[in-house]
């Protein structure tokens, strides 16, 4: 079975089981991991542990408030570990947990797909605008 058929079959199974939308694993995870900040932070941390300031430098268009909020969410979901060293001032380092590292493979597939197909998406968007 090809990927499209398998994905469609999985969706139909969820539908026939009448899964509670609140308990749906796909909705529950994509709601948190599908946003751009979570994705970019996981990509950054995949290269190794980083301090808050280093993460902010790597993703300069994220506000410090949003960076803090996203790191807290990823930590609460078990994907990111926050290591606080008892120094003055405290030194805080963020890293991926084993669960977070397990997401690197699927995320790499998405990133590679985006790199390959982004030009075609942009062209289709431009064509759609011209036709409108």
């Amino acid at each position: 079975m090809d990927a499209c058929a398998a994905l469609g079959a999985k969706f139909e199974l969820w539908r026939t089981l009448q899964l509670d939308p609140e308990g749906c694993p796909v909705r529950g995870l994509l709601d948190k991991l599908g946003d751009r900040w979570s994705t970019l932070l996981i990509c950054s941390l995949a290269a190794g542990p980083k301090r808050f300031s280093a993460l902010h430098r790597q993703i300069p268009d994220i506000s410090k408030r949003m960076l803090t909020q996203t790191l807290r969410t990823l930590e609460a979901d078990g994907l990111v570990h926050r290591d606080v060293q008892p120094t003055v001032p405290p030194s805080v380092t963020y890293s991926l947990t084993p669960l977070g590292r397990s997401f690197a493979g699927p995320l790499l597939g998405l990133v590679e797909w985006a790199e390959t197909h982004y030009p075609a998406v942009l062209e289709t968007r431009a064509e759609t605008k011209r036709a409108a």
Side-chain angles (χ1 to χ4, degrees):
M1 180 181 297
D2 76 349
C4 283
L7 189 58
K10 178 108 22 208
F11 184 76
E12 284 303 313
L13 175 63
W14 295 335
R15 233 175 39 78
T16 58
L17 292 174
Q18 297 180 345
L19 293 177
D20 173 17
E22 295 300 315
C24 176
V26 174
R27 289 179 190 194
L29 289 177
L30 285 181
D31 181 47
K32 302 278 177 100
L33 299 177
D35 70 280
R36 65 179 165 173
W37 303 128
S38 295
T39 302
L40 291 172
L41 286 170
I42 291 169
C43 288
S44 175
L45 291 171
K50 293 190 179 53
R51 297 192 55 185
F52 185 92
S53 58
L55 289 167
H56 194 255
R57 280 192 303 275
Q58 286 190 332
I59 309 169
D61 52 332
I62 189 172
S63 69
K64 289 183 179 182
R65 180 177 182 272
M66 184 55 70
L67 177 55
T68 299
Q69 183 179 332
T70 306
L71 286 167
R72 285 182 182 159
T73 298
L74 292 171
E75 182 182 9
D77 287 345
L79 298 166
V80 168
H81 174 71
R82 181 176 182 261
D83 182 39
V84 181
Q85 295 297 314
T87 59
V88 178
S91 173
V92 180
T93 304
Y94 296 91
S95 61
L96 292 179
T97 63
L99 183 60
R101 286 192 300 275
S102 74
F103 186 56
L107 185 54
L108 177 61
L110 177 63
V111 167
E112 289 175 340
W113 184 91
E115 289 174 337
T116 300
H117 297 286
Y118 192 57
V121 170
L122 289 177
E123 179 59 33
T124 303
R125 285 179 188 169
E127 288 173 10
T128 302
K129 273 188 178 177
R130 285 191 294 268

